[in-house]
């Protein structure tokens, strides 16, 4: 699968799930439950910060700084996501096929060194967000709110990829 399809899927799934959360009672966004993070808002805070970290690593920055985004409301979360991903949309098309196979060095948040191909790092970035979108769905179920279908197959059905 090409990077463009994966990136469009990532944006579609994240925005679709945020739209669904936004359509619920506003308190759901900060309501606490059992999961990796205390709330949907904290989960999205993590997704955004890690998206930023992976993006910076993909540009060749070995140890980017951790950035916190304003996730005090769903609307501000959507805005932060959109603004961050506009930067990515400008950068990724500049990469040539050989660039995707380039090995980059980076240090994870624990200080462990890594050396991976850019395309492997990109897949990890997309997969990470998918994992946490699943956790948001778990939150919704704990709150007796039905989730929505955001698997890749639904993306292909709803879009022209």
């Amino acid at each position: 699968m090409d990077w463009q399809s994966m990136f469009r899927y990532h944006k579609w799934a994240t925005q679709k799930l945020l739209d669904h959360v936004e359509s619920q009672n506003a308190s759901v966004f900060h309501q606490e439950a059992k999961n990796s993070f205390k709330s949907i808002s904290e989960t999205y805070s993590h997704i955004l910060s890690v998206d930023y970290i992976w993006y910076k690593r993909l540009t060749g920055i070995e140890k980017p700084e951790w950035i916190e985004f304003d996730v005090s409301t769903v609307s501000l979360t959507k805005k932060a996501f959109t603004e961050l991903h506009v930067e990515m949309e400008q950068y990724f098309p500049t990469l040539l096929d050989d660039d995707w196979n380039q090995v980059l060095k980076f240090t994870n948040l624990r200080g462990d060194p890594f050396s991976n191909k850019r395309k492997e790092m990109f897949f990890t970035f997309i997969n990470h967000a998918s994992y946490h979108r699943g956790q948001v769905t778990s939150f919704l179920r704990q709150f007796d709110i039905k989730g929505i279908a955001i698997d890749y197959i639904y993306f292909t059905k709803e879009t022209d990829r």
Side-chain angles (χ1 to χ4, degrees):
M1 180 179 313
D2 60 60
W3 71 266
Q4 294 98 332
S5 295
M6 287 194 310
F7 189 64
R8 283 193 302 272
Y9 164 69
H10 168 65
K11 288 178 16 187
W12 172 87
T14 300
Q15 291 168 338
K16 188 171 180 85
L17 190 54
L18 278 167
D19 289 344
H20 181 61
V21 169
E22 189 173 44
S23 73
Q24 307 303 313
N25 184 309
S27 66
V28 166
F29 193 57
H30 298 289
Q31 187 174 341
E32 292 189 9
K34 293 184 179 185
N35 217 317
S36 293
F37 299 95
K38 292 180 184 177
S39 65
I40 292 172
S41 62
E42 285 187 22
T43 304
Y44 272 107
S45 175
H46 176 76
I47 291 170
L48 281 164
S49 294
V50 173
D51 276 10
Y52 173 82
I53 290 284
W54 277 113
Y55 166 57
K56 290 302 181 180
R57 288 173 180 161
L58 287 162
T59 67
I61 298 173
E62 191 171 328
K63 193 172 183 179
E65 65 179 305
W66 182 266
I67 300 287
E68 292 286 337
F69 292 85
D70 186 351
V71 296
S72 56
T73 67
V74 177
S75 179
L76 288 170
T77 303
K78 290 167 72 172
K79 181 179 184 235
F81 179 83
T82 299
E83 289 173 357
L84 173 60
H85 288 75
V86 164
E87 282 186 53
M88 293 180 194
E89 288 172 341
Q90 294 170 355
Y91 173 72
F92 292 139
T94 68
L95 298 172
L96 304 173
D97 288 343
D98 287 347
D99 295 327
W100 288 101
N101 287 310
Q102 181 183 4
V103 175
L104 300 173
K105 294 180 179 186
F106 67 94
T107 304
N108 72 6
L109 297 175
R110 292 185 188 115
D112 303 323
F114 283 82
S115 182
N116 290 85
K117 290 182 180 180
R118 184 178 272 120
K119 66 183 178 183
E120 295 167 336
M121 295 166 63
F122 183 82
F123 179 79
T124 301
F125 150 62
I126 300 297
N127 189 55
H128 173 267
S130 291
Y131 174 80
H132 289 298
R133 284 190 297 266
Q135 291 182 323
V136 171
T137 298
S138 177
F139 273 114
L140 294 173
R141 288 182 182 142
Q142 289 180 63
F143 305 148
D144 293 322
I145 298 170
K146 187 176 179 179
I148 57 170
I150 54 171
D151 291 321
Y152 185 81
I153 201 76
Y154 291 98
F155 164 72
T156 64
K157 187 175 182 177
E158 287 187 24
T159 68
D160 61 1
R161 291 182 243 187

